Amino acid sequence: MNPLRTLATAVLIACGLAALSAPASAQDRGDRRIAAIVNRDAITLYDLEQRIRLVGLGARVPAAGEGRQRLAAEVLRSMINERLQIQEAARQSVEVTEKEVQDQLAEIERRNRMDRGGLHKALRQRNIDPRAFEDQIRASLAWNKVIQAKIMPQVRVSDAEADAM
């Protein structure tokens, strides 16, 4: 990785994390300031805040302070990795359709015994933009396709290995 790019990313992350400690009213307005740039692809503070809220569904999220900044840094790193995965998928001409994303959402709803559309409703009730979850699903599906296209053709299982299993 280019050291200058690493430095620039670190500076953007520091600025983004500092901005997260801004008053909630600024965050709730859909803050479009940049938290990080991943190869010309911006992650906004709004995107970061939405993902933090999403992560917070399953865990206690600190309202402020050092714990919140630590969580924000972890979430932002995860989002950066997802953007890199999506960019690699695009480079490999791998596409994820809207139908695939919606099918995955429907499967999650089914496994959780939710009505159709119940997941979006639950997210909205918690002030979470459903696109935050959809983006995460899209990145996961894209990366799985890249892995299948790159690694699966290299895996060879002999008849003897199959019989042994």
Side-chain angles (χ1 to χ4, degrees):
M1 178 176 247
N2 180 337
L4 187 56
R5 181 177 291 157
T6 303
L7 177 61
T9 301
V11 169
L12 287 169
I13 290 172
C15 292
L17 296 179
L20 274 177
S21 60
S25 60
Q27 294 172 14
D28 293 339
R29 288 193 306 255
D31 197 338
R32 300 298 179 191
R33 290 179 291 166
I34 295 172
I37 296 176
V38 184
N39 298 324
R40 298 186 186 141
D41 189 10
I43 297 172
T44 66
L45 290 177
Y46 175 80
D47 298 332
L48 179 58
E49 178 61 29
Q50 291 300 304
R51 186 63 69 87
I52 289 169
R53 289 179 185 182
L54 184 62
V55 168
L57 287 178
R60 287 190 163 153
V61 176
E66 188 176 315
R68 172 116 173 139
Q69 285 187 340
R70 221 178 0 261
L71 174 64
E74 289 176 32
V75 170
L76 185 55
R77 273 192 296 277
S78 174
M79 292 177 76
I80 289 169
N81 287 336
E82 285 175 13
R83 294 293 168 99
L84 290 169
Q85 291 170 344
I86 288 171
Q87 290 169 5
E88 179 60 21
R91 195 176 75 72
Q92 299 287 331
S93 299
V94 170
E95 294 182 21
V96 174
T97 67
E98 187 60 28
K99 181 181 181 332
E100 290 172 312
V101 173
Q102 294 307 315
D103 287 349
Q104 186 68 37
L105 288 170
E107 176 59 22
I108 292 167
E109 288 172 336
R110 186 193 64 74
R111 284 193 314 244
N112 288 284
R113 297 182 180 94
M114 300 174 98
D115 292 332
R116 185 90 171 152
L119 185 56
H120 278 166
K121 182 179 177 184
L123 292 172
R124 284 190 189 102
Q125 286 175 342
R126 290 166 177 85
N127 293 321
I128 299 170
D129 186 341
R131 288 178 296 170
F133 191 47
E134 291 172 3
D135 289 346
Q136 190 174 22
I137 289 171
R138 188 172 285 104
S140 177
L141 290 171
W143 192 243
N144 285 337
K145 286 182 172 186
V146 168
I147 296 299
Q148 287 178 353
K150 286 237 177 216
I151 294 177
M152 294 307 284
Q154 298 174 12
V155 175
R156 308 249 189 268
V157 178
S158 70
D159 289 338
E161 290 172 317
D163 291 341
M165 291 303 289

